[in-house]
């Protein structure tokens, strides 16, 4: 089976489900907070590595068997998709001020990024590609810098409410 087929459920959840739940949330999800200094490089590394993940899957095949890599990959992939769906559902329903603090956002300030990492890690395991695994690692490291810029933007936009949220909920898990 071709690796690009793994993108179909991911994209349907990420964009299709979000669009069904709240069309305005799609444009909010596409917005990147302003970046400063080294965050600019991280932003471009993030975008390039994201494209690298997607493009590489067009050249990779899923190695379906009973190996630990396949089983762990399938578990990570499905868990990542489920977390992505929960993140999208929470993201589609912000509070009156536009802040997401309910649902899965009670446990992680960035559940979408966590779900991407788990899902992409599953894809790397399912295709048994060290190259894809490396691109996923670069993607995740650059995501951290994107998250820092988003948190700064949220502090500016939501003020004390976001500061309190930061004190009570972890950045990742």
């Amino acid at each position: 089976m071709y690796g690009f087929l793994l993108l179909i459920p991911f994209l349907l959840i990420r964009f299709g489900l979000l669009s069904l739940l709240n069309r305005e949330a799609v444009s909010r999800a596409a917005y990147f907070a302003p970046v400063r200094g080294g965050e600019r490089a991280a932003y471009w590394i993030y975008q390039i590595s994201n494209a690298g993940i997607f493009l590489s899957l067009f050249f990779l095949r899923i190695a379906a068997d009973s190996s630990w890599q396949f089983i762990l990959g399938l578990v990570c992939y499905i868990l990542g998709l489920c977390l992505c769906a929960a993140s999208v559902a929470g993201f589609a329903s912000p509070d009156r001020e536009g802040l997401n603090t309910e649902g899965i956002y009670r446990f992680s300030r960035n559940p979408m990024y966590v779900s991407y990492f788990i899902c992409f890690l599953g894809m790397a395991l399912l295709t048994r590609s060290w190259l894809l695994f490396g691109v996923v690692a670069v993607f995740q490291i650059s995501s951290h810098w994107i998250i820092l810029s988003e948190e700064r933007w949220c502090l500016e936009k939501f003020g004390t409410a976001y500061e309190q949220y930061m004190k009570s909920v972890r950045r990742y898990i």
Side-chain angles (χ1 to χ4, degrees), residues 122-135:
M123 292 177 187
L125 287 166
L126 287 170
T127 60
R128 296 189 191 159
S129 170
W130 283 103
L131 178 63
L132 181 56
F133 181 78
V135 175

Side-chain angles (χ1 to χ4, degrees), residues 14 25-35 43 47 91 113 146 149-150 153-154 156-157:
R14 176 67 176 83
V26 175
S27 60
R28 279 191 307 117
Y31 176 77
F32 279 89
V35 291
Y43 170 82
Q47 295 296 353
F91 189 82
Y113 287 104
I146 302 301
S149 68
E150 288 178 358
W153 179 82
C154 285
E156 292 169 4
K157 181 173 180 172

Side-chain angles (χ1 to χ4, degrees), residues 33-34 39 108-110 113 144-159 162-163 165-166 169-172:
E39 294 168 351
S108 171
R109 295 194 311 261
N110 299 284
Y113 287 104
H144 176 73
W145 298 102
I146 302 301
I147 288 168
L148 294 177
S149 68
E150 288 178 358
E151 289 183 343
R152 184 180 59 250
W153 179 82
C154 285
L155 281 168
E156 292 169 4
K157 181 173 180 172
F158 302 110
Y162 193 75
E163 189 174 349
Y165 177 60
M166 288 177 77
V169 177
R170 292 174 177 253
R171 180 175 286 141
Y172 298 111

Side-chain angles (χ1 to χ4, degrees), residues 32 46 110-117 140 143 146-147 150:
F32 279 89
Y46 173 88
N110 299 284
M112 241 187 266
Y113 287 104
V114 172
S115 73
Y116 297 166
F117 174 67
Q140 191 59 32
S143 294
I146 302 301
I147 288 168
E150 288 178 358

Side-chain angles (χ1 to χ4, degrees), residues 11-27 29 88-89 91-92:
L11 294 172
L12 284 173
I13 291 169
R14 176 67 176 83
F15 296 105
L17 179 60
L18 187 58
S19 180
L20 285 173
L21 295 174
N22 183 340
R23 284 198 181 270
E24 293 173 7
V26 175
S27 60
V88 162
F91 189 82

Side-chain angles (χ1 to χ4, degrees), residues 42-150:
Y43 170 82
W44 288 108
I45 292 168
Y46 173 88
Q47 295 296 353
I48 292 166
S49 61
N50 195 16
I53 291 167
F54 280 49
L55 290 175
S56 68
L57 287 166
F58 281 89
F59 301 97
L60 296 171
R61 294 180 63 90
I62 297 167
D65 57 21
S66 60
S67 68
W68 69 268
Q69 295 99 326
F70 178 77
I71 294 167
L72 182 59
L74 193 59
V75 168
C76 287
Y77 177 69
I78 292 170
L79 177 61
L81 290 177
C82 292
L83 287 172
C84 190
S87 301
V88 162
F91 189 82
S93 304
D95 65 15
R96 195 170 298 148
E97 289 77 35
L99 189 58
N100 299 73
T101 59
E102 296 300 317
I104 198 166
Y105 286 86
R106 290 179 298 168
F107 308 104
S108 171
R109 295 194 311 261
N110 299 284
M112 241 187 266
Y113 287 104
V114 172
S115 73
Y116 297 166
F117 174 67
I118 294 170
C119 190
F120 293 160
L121 178 62
M123 292 177 187
L125 287 166
L126 287 170
T127 60
R128 296 189 191 159
S129 170
W130 283 103
L131 178 63
L132 181 56
F133 181 78
V135 175
V136 169
V138 169
F139 171 84
Q140 191 59 32
I141 292 166
S142 64
S143 294
H144 176 73
W145 298 102
I146 302 301
I147 288 168
L148 294 177
S149 68
E150 288 178 358

